[in-house]
Amino acid sequence: MSAAPLRVLVVDDEPLARQRLEDLLAREEGAELVGTASDGDEAVEAIRALRPDLVFLDVQMPGKTGMEVVREIGPERMPATVFVTAYDQFALQAFDVAAVDYLLKPYDDERFEQAFRRARKMAELSEVGRLAGRLRALLGGGPVPASAPSPDGPAPAATPASPASPSSPWTERIAVEMRGQVRVVPVSQIEYITASGPYAELHTPERGYVIRERMQALEERLDPARFLRIHRSIIVRLDTIDTLLRGGGGDYAVRLKNGVKLKVSRTRVEELERRMGVGR
């Protein structure tokens, strides 16, 4: 029996921005567009009347801003929220932990699909309630609780298991099966992840661990405030990056604090620069 579709509300004061989201949602199986709103006041009414599972919420709008919409509805009553914004790096860091995800205008189809997958997973796992405290902290200006992964490291074998703690929707440990034993690798020890087909290698300071897990699935489970996919086959922990390297012909790479050099896809450069606070 198929799962019920995810009921989605789109809120943006720009008609073209609304239409883009509508078109992208139309391609997603399991998504039902239940309404649109063009300003903050309409958004409040629509959320109360339609009770959507997910809201794509523009931050800057006439009437009420996106954050004022959250205040009026109340964090406990807000559906899963993906902010759509052109805000600076510091606001984005807050949104990373206060919402399911964010879309930074202009965004590509792949970035939208990533945000939608995260939102759908949160709804399916009934994780939305866990975001209420984070939204409340953000609105009140107090400390925003972040995910709190713990610390531990080529050894092959592998089947994955990725538990999340009761206080965080993001994976904190990845179980690696090898030689008949299971080793638990805290994500805080993972410096970067590389992929080859259906396998991924978790790189820690001590060693590498190979698991049978696709990058898309790993990306959805890792805290986006701490990890970023910089290439189709590479995910990096942001605080391990030492230098952004700009080569000839528009090629980019990062050098980690341990000296490892990793390629950066051109489509990921702008977001990486924003997260690093680097201006062009």
Side-chain angles (χ1 to χ4, degrees):
M1 189 169 72
S2 60
L6 196 66
R7 305 175 70 256
V8 184
L9 173 69
V10 171
V11 181
D12 201 303
D13 63 308
E14 299 175 10
L16 290 178
R18 288 199 306 274
Q19 187 61 55
R20 172 154 170 71
L21 282 169
E22 290 177 38
D23 292 343
L24 289 168
L25 284 166
R27 304 180 198 170
E28 296 290 337
E29 289 187 19
E32 177 188 356
L33 180 67
V34 295
T36 63
S38 59
D39 60 41
D41 293 316
E42 286 185 10
V44 170
E45 292 179 10
I47 290 170
R48 287 173 172 165
L50 300 172
R51 299 180 180 273
D53 302 309
L54 169 63
V55 179
F56 284 90
L57 182 60
D58 190 16
V59 173
Q60 294 174 296
M61 296 181 294
K64 287 183 175 66
T65 66
M67 299 310 297
E68 288 170 339
V69 170
V70 174
R71 285 192 181 94
E72 180 150 344
I73 296 295
E76 294 84 357
R77 294 182 177 84
M78 274 299 292
T81 303
V82 174
F83 285 111
V84 184
T85 179
Y87 263 41
D88 62 21
Q89 173 195 5
F90 302 106
L92 292 178
Q93 289 174 354
F95 295 157
D96 275 346
V97 296
V100 170
D101 208 336
Y102 68 86
L103 291 175
L104 181 63
K105 297 177 180 178
Y107 52 87
D108 57 24
D109 293 8
E110 184 180 359
R111 184 69 185 88
F112 166 82
E113 289 166 4
Q114 177 186 344
F116 181 78
R117 287 195 302 267
R118 281 198 178 119
R120 179 162 54 190
K121 181 181 178 185
M122 293 287 284
E124 288 172 353
L125 296 177
S126 302
E127 297 284 3
V128 175
R130 296 182 185 178
L131 298 175
R134 296 178 178 184
L135 284 170
R136 194 183 306 108
L138 177 61
L139 293 174
V144 182
S147 304
S150 335
D152 197 43
T159 46
S162 308
S165 81
S167 60
S168 167
W170 310 116
T171 293
E172 295 188 358
R173 297 169 299 281
I174 297 178
V176 180
E177 183 182 336
M178 52 187 191
R179 303 183 188 93
Q181 298 179 334
V182 176
R183 175 75 179 271
V184 176
V185 180
V187 298
S188 61
Q189 280 208 324
I190 299 171
E191 296 179 326
Y192 63 101
I193 303 170
T194 54
S196 177
Y199 295 94
E201 184 171 359
L202 315 176
H203 297 265
T204 77
E206 295 178 1
R207 63 188 296 176
Y209 296 92
V210 177
I211 62 172
R212 188 177 179 85
E213 183 96 4
R214 292 194 175 272
M215 292 294 271
Q216 178 178 313
L218 282 169
E219 184 182 18
E220 291 172 8
R221 296 177 182 180
L222 293 169
D223 184 352
R226 305 182 66 224
F227 289 87
L228 181 66
R229 191 170 182 179
I230 60 172
H231 188 273
R232 191 165 60 111
S233 59
I234 304 170
I235 295 173
V236 66
R237 203 179 82 219
L238 289 166
D239 64 4
T240 66
I241 297 174
D242 180 68
T243 310
L244 175 62
L245 306 171
R246 294 169 176 160
D251 292 332
Y252 288 83
V254 290
R255 182 182 293 116
L256 305 189
K257 294 173 183 176
N258 63 8
V260 171
K261 186 177 175 182
L262 301 171
K263 186 176 180 180
V264 179
S265 169
R266 294 184 186 185
T267 61
R268 306 285 177 144
V269 170
E270 185 176 352
E271 185 171 356
L272 176 61
E273 287 183 328
R274 289 180 181 276
R275 302 290 284 276
M276 293 178 66
V278 176
R280 291 200 173 222

